[in-house]
Amino acid sequence: MNARFALPSLVLTGAVVALAGCVPNAPSGADSVTVTATDDGCTLSSSEAPAGTLVFSVENEGSAATEFYLLASDGSSIVSEVENIGPGLTRDLTVQVAAGGYFTSCRESDNADAVPVAFTVTEAESDVPVDEEREALLNQAAQTYRAYVQQEVAALVIATDEFVAAYTAGDDDAAREIYAPARIHWEAIEPVAESFGDLDPSMDLREADLAEGEQWTGWHAMEKDLWPPLDYAALSVDERQALADQLVADTAELSARVNADDFTFEAFQIGNGAKELLDEVATGKITGEEEIWSGTDLWDFRANLDGAWEAYVVLKPAADLTDATLSTEIEERFAALDAELAQYGSLEDGFANYSELTDDQVVELSRLVEALSESLSHLTAAAIG
């Protein structure tokens, strides 16, 4: 995961490659809100907008990369987000929202806390024309992607049980073997898991993102215990058991939530999720920061890419109604990145340790990630039309 996003008081349910496609970031008829992000926080051009398709155009005037979140009214779940917005860049977040209360927030900085600000979505001013063909395709996409998420979480439950059994038994060699293959089921659906604001920090927080005095739990605490640095004091049997019990409980809770009757997706969440997975690669895996102790970042990279592909595939029929050339471009860029990553291993045979990559190899992977990410940034607008 990226640096943890703090929700203090909410209760929320290389080279830049030019885009060849012609799909705009904003669908026709969408309302737009400009978000200006600085090192002191972010300012919106309006605190309300009518229901329907809405585009937050986020301009980063700060000195560091930022993120922007639309948060639900229940205090902990993320409706949608856009990450990895570098200084001087503008990126759009396209959502489809019903009338109601929401919150917005940018990422915390050294100068400002990420204090969420109320945002109101009012009733639509007029009826929105319905494209029945597109609506049917998007409904099918949501059902298919829901099934994919449930399948990955079911696999995660099994793999987590195998991992913690080895870990608590003191079979460190076996635990190290299981670690990366188990985590791919999390990484493939990471934006979904992150949307449950309480589970992500408990399960996937990196040591570098710990707040002062915060208890460290989850995968990366166990990763450090299995690949200890020189000055590391090994965890006791009881401490290992406590970490294992918490991870199993959190994974069971994740499974319960994605299998609940009211667990659904909107098309914009799937499309934005595909882009978020590429952002995860750009900000964590390609830098070697995600798996700093084990060096298994390329496993996560592969899983993020597979998750993004699944999201793209379910939305492709609807996106093609707008512009099929975008699909061609996305598939070419997936293929180029697949080929580059395949040089370093596979899920079946394992991957090279991140530390084995040269600077030139990292730069080339980054360039291809950037290209694909740019194309995927247009997927949501193309799909919802």
Side-chain angles (χ1 to χ4, degrees), residues 48-54 70 72-73 96-102 119-125:
E48 64 177 42
T53 303
L54 177 60
L70 179 64
S73 62
Q96 288 184 308
V97 285
Y102 298 81
F119 186 86
T120 302
V121 176
T122 60
E123 295 290 341
E125 297 172 351

Side-chain angles (χ1 to χ4, degrees), residues 24 39 66 168 201 228 281 325:
D39 293 337
T66 192
T168 55
V281 174
T325 61

